[in-house]
Every structure is written in C-alpha cells, then in structure tokens.
Amino acid sequence: MSNLKLKTALENRFDTSTRGWVGRAAAALGSTRPSLARYLQLEEQGEGGRIPASLWAAVHSLPDLQAIKPSTPLPTTADVVHHYAAGLVDLQQHMDETGHIQAPYPVSLHDGFDMAAALNIVTAGARFPVSLADLLRVADQPLYEWCPDYARVGPPEFVDAQLMSEGQVTSACLALGARSQSDPEEPLYDKLMEICEAIGEAGAEDFYRAWRKCVVEKPFAWSRAELLDSDPLFLVHSRRVSELIDAFYVTVPVAALRDQVVRLCPITRTRVFRSNGKWCSEFRDPRAAQALAKQGPIEHPAVEGMLELRRAARTFWTLPGRHELELATRLEERGLNVVLWPKLDAADLLIESGDGAKRWVIDVKDYLSPRSLARAFSGFNGFRRARRALVIPDYLNDRTPQYREIFDRARRANLFNKVELFTASELLRELEA
C-alpha cells in the first residue's frame, strides 16, 4: 500500500475540484475531516506508512468514479428512493413467508445502498442512508423530512409518503418500489381479468365481484377448500379459482409463527404483528387498535396448509375493500340498491334509491394525506348520469378535521377539476335527505 498514494486514490473517487471534497470524502470513509487531512499531510511528509489499514480498506470499498464512462449517467435521487422502497418490499415479503430477515439482502436494496454511496460522494450535502440500520431510522418519517430533493422532483402524491409504519412497509412503499421493478399489484389484476375474460361477458361481473369480496373477507384461510367453498360461483369455476388462489395466496409456514399460533385482527382477519410490545393490525382504522387493546387478537393453533394473501393484495384490495363493504352494508340497510365494483371496478359503488330518483357513483379512498389524494385522483370514467363523489372513512376526518379544505385547496393549486368529497357518515346523511 505504501507505493499507492492516498491522494491519488481519493482523486479517482471524488471530484476534488469542488469545494468541501475532503469533508465529503471523510464522511464516506467513516472518518472525520481533520483526521483525513492529517493522513494526507503525513503522505506529503513521506510518512504514508502511518495511514491506518482500515482507512485504505474503506477507500477501496468506494466506487471508482474514473471508471464511469462519460455517457453513463449517475443515479438520481428518484433511483435511490425507488430502490430503497423495492428493497424494503422484498425484505418484508421474505419475512412474511419465512419469519426472518433475508440474508443476503435483496439485490434491489444492495443497489439502492450502492447508488446512495455514489451520490453521497459526488453531491454536496447528500446524506443518503447506506445501510439497513440507517434506512430504518428514517423510513417511518415523511419523505420530505429526510429526502427533500425527492419531495421536489418526485410525483407530488408521494411528497409526504412514509416507507414504513409500525415496522411494516406501507402502501406508498409498495407503489414507489414498483417504479424500479414490476408493480406487485399488476399481475394480480391481470390474472383476475384473464379469468373474467375466459368466463365470458355474461358472467364476468358476477365472478369479479365474488372474488373481490373473497379477497376482502378471507385474507387468511385454513385451506384451499375453505376458499373454494366461500361462494357458489367458485365451485362452478373451480379450476379457474384454483389458478387465482395460486396467484393471490401464499402458504404460511407453521415454523415461522410465534408459538405456532395464528393471531388474527378481530376486524379484518389479517395476521397481526408485534410492534413496541403490543399487537398491531395492518388496518390503520383506529377500530382495529381499539379491538386489539380490548380483546386481543383471535388465536388459533397453526396447521399445515394455511394460506395468506400476498401483501400487495392485502394492501391494495383487502384493507381498502373493508371500508367499501362496510359502506355498502350500511347503505343497503337503509333500503338503497348497491352494486359493488360495477363494470369490473370502474368505480367502487353504484348506488340507486328504490324509486330511481337518486343515483350515485362512489370511489372510497383511504388516504391519510388529503394532499396526496387530491394529486393522485384522476377523475371518474363513465357514469355521466350519476352524481359522482369520493368518500373517505370517518376516522380520517377525525384525525384531520380540515381534510376537505386541504383536499380542495390542493385540487385548485394543481388546476384539477373540483370533486365532491364526503365522509361515510356524511354520505349516508346526504342520501337520507
């Protein structure tokens, strides 16, 4: 090592023409600026042999910027965030299926850390996480707090997104991860639509509706037979339903469960998890936490052959679908006619009064951020002869009393069309008027 000059090695890895490069280099090497400056001074004095071997090892672990072809663009902030998200999703999926952290880490996570290290070297002031521990320390914070550059250049609906919450990846994390690899929801939807097309136009809507209800009501099942028996249509189309089960569900290994006991949320029947010493549900509606605090999870001995919906299906279909089914039930109890997921999910609910005087089309949205909802909602397709509105669960308005005002303000600021927004209770009162 004594024949190799430290300054030359650093020049190959940092843009030494920029101000503050020594400080950036020291941070990337896990050293301090004064220490690195002292090592460079030792080298100038002919005492390079006193430079610690650990520093040389850190230097050699950094990417060689001179080896990058001029035509090869450096990674962007978006690249880093999307790979972080994809890596966390892959890591979570492995934990869901095996009960332990994947080793080695997923390729997407490694790639994210490598990109982050490169940006930390060449970008003044960049402090991207370069280890899982560092990433987990910020993953439950809004993106704008720890990655303000992404908040400026990324999709506006993700400005305040969190990658994790209560130790679990979020729906935003799933969506962001899909930007660096395949969308985890897309193959599920494509498979269901393939089956509906095979069934034919006459029965497609009824089958689609039956499967969507199954996904909401049975995120966990003791066997394939339980799923096949959950709707008469499934026995008629048993071979096709078996294909859907293979696409949507994974086997839950008994050995991966705490005490080999299945613990389910009393509200959603999804598996619960431990966080900060308490049982938590993936369902963020406060009713789930209240039910767990009051009665604890539903417990059953684990058996071989248990099935659980894939996380993407639970996140994008099961949990939002719980609000949709509950709203439909409350509307039907008031004598209204309700069609769930009309026209193969062109909307969530089509509502008509018995005399036909009132006709509504509803999309139910469970967005914590009214700004994100305002930016993400692109509008309704079809149903022009119906009154159209977005409906949010009551708990969101309780959590953010100015939800509607913030939503409307964000729609105006982005020059989007005005959209009616109600809580579930407000919609019921409006329909009863």
Side-chain angles (χ1 to χ4, degrees):
M1 290 182 188
S2 59
N3 294 327
L4 179 63
K5 295 295 187 181
L6 176 60
K7 187 172 182 180
T8 302
L10 293 176
E11 286 173 345
N12 288 340
R13 290 162 173 80
F14 298 89
D15 183 357
T16 57
S17 65
T18 59
R19 184 178 178 182
W21 75 270
V22 175
R24 292 197 301 278
L29 294 171
S31 180
T32 63
R33 190 186 186 287
S35 294
L36 182 56
R38 183 166 59 86
Y39 297 144
L40 290 169
Q41 186 177 22
L42 285 173
E43 184 176 74
E44 289 179 2
Q45 295 169 351
E47 300 183 54
R50 294 173 58 186
I51 298 173
S54 59
L55 184 77
W56 279 111
V59 170
H60 292 313
S61 70
L62 297 175
D64 189 341
L65 296 185
Q66 301 302 320
I68 299 176
K69 296 180 180 178
S71 60
T72 302
L74 286 169
T76 66
T77 301
D79 293 330
V80 175
V81 170
H82 298 161
H83 277 79
Y84 282 160
L88 289 173
V89 169
D90 291 343
L91 203 63
Q92 180 79 68
Q93 179 177 325
H94 186 85
M95 290 185 65
D96 289 346
E97 296 176 2
T98 67
H100 58 78
I101 291 180
Q102 180 178 349
Y105 295 156
V107 173
S108 49
L109 197 56
H110 274 299
D111 289 347
F113 292 148
D114 288 345
M115 292 176 182
L119 286 181
N120 285 346
I121 292 170
V122 301
T123 307
R127 292 292 183 271
F128 290 102
V130 293
S131 70
L132 181 59
D134 290 341
L135 180 57
L136 293 179
R137 274 192 283 270
V138 298
D140 62 350
Q141 300 172 20
L143 270 176
Y144 65 80
E145 289 189 2
W146 62 276
C147 192
D149 190 47
Y150 188 85
R152 289 192 296 270
V153 303
E157 63 267 29
F158 293 112
V159 167
D160 48 7
Q162 297 168 260
L163 298 183
M164 299 192 70
S165 178
E166 298 282 1
Q168 304 277 302
V169 295
T170 63
S171 57
C173 189
L174 284 164
L176 287 169
R179 292 172 179 266
S180 71
Q181 55 188 26
S182 60
D183 185 342
E185 183 188 11
E186 186 175 345
L188 303 178
Y189 180 78
D190 289 347
K191 185 62 180 179
L192 179 53
M193 296 307 293
E194 174 193 322
I195 297 297
C196 289
E197 184 177 350
I199 289 172
E201 186 176 349
E205 278 211 52
D206 287 339
F207 184 87
Y208 182 94
R209 192 170 296 114
W211 183 254
R212 284 295 299 268
K213 286 189 70 174
C214 175
V215 168
V216 175
E217 296 173 342
K218 293 189 174 295
F220 185 93
W222 299 105
S223 66
R224 299 175 73 91
E226 179 185 349
L227 296 171
L228 284 165
D229 290 340
S230 63
D231 192 283
L233 281 176
F234 295 168
L235 297 177
V236 176
H237 303 287
S238 59
R239 181 179 61 81
R240 294 187 171 111
V241 172
S242 185
E243 292 179 27
L244 284 174
I245 293 173
D246 290 338
F248 277 73
Y249 287 82
V250 294
T251 302
V252 179
V254 174
L257 300 177
R258 181 189 294 260
D259 307 324
Q260 296 191 358
V261 172
V262 175
R263 294 176 172 87
L264 304 178
C265 171
I267 304 295
T268 64
R269 299 304 194 268
T270 54
R271 277 201 293 158
V272 296
F273 58 92
R274 295 286 285 183
S275 179
N276 297 323
K278 64 180 181 180
W279 292 110
C280 299
S281 171
E282 294 175 338
F283 196 43
R284 61 191 179 206
D285 190 310
R287 291 176 299 155
Q290 291 163 6
L292 285 168
K294 182 178 180 180
Q295 67 188 68
I298 300 170
E299 297 187 352
H300 294 284
V303 297
E304 294 295 338
M306 300 176 298
L307 299 171
E308 179 180 47
L309 276 173
R310 298 181 187 276
R311 181 170 292 271
R314 302 197 309 271
T315 300
F316 295 118
W317 294 27
T318 302
L319 302 179
R322 173 63 51 182
H323 292 297
E324 295 159 8
L325 286 184
E326 289 178 353
L327 179 58
T329 299
R330 294 171 70 183
L331 290 165
E332 289 170 342
E333 289 172 350
R334 287 160 172 76
L336 296 161
N337 300 317
V338 180
V339 177
L340 280 160
W341 309 297
K343 299 181 181 180
L344 300 178
D345 208 14
D348 291 332
L349 289 83
L350 175 61
I351 308 165
E352 288 188 351
S353 57
D355 58 6
K358 295 179 179 179
R359 191 169 188 261
W360 288 65
V361 170
I362 299 298
D363 260 357
V364 181
K365 299 295 186 183
D366 186 16
Y367 277 63
L368 286 178
S369 168
R371 294 185 184 86
S372 295
L373 175 56
R375 294 162 180 152
F377 183 68
S378 58
F380 290 93
N381 294 318
F383 307 103
R384 294 188 178 279
R385 289 181 293 176
R387 187 172 173 182
R388 296 171 287 181
L390 293 180
V391 172
I392 59 172
D394 288 353
Y395 86 90
L396 289 179
N397 196 61
D398 295 338
R399 184 177 183 272
T400 308
Q402 299 82 27
Y403 196 103
R404 182 182 293 100
E405 289 78 4
I406 298 171
F407 173 85
D408 288 340
R409 209 161 45 237
R411 295 288 293 185
R412 288 195 302 270
N414 289 276
L415 303 180
F416 294 142
N417 292 334
K418 183 177 176 60
V419 177
E420 286 194 278
L421 180 73
F422 297 88
T423 65
S425 295
E426 288 170 345
L427 176 67
L428 292 170
R429 289 195 293 269
E430 183 76 12
L431 286 166
E432 289 173 346

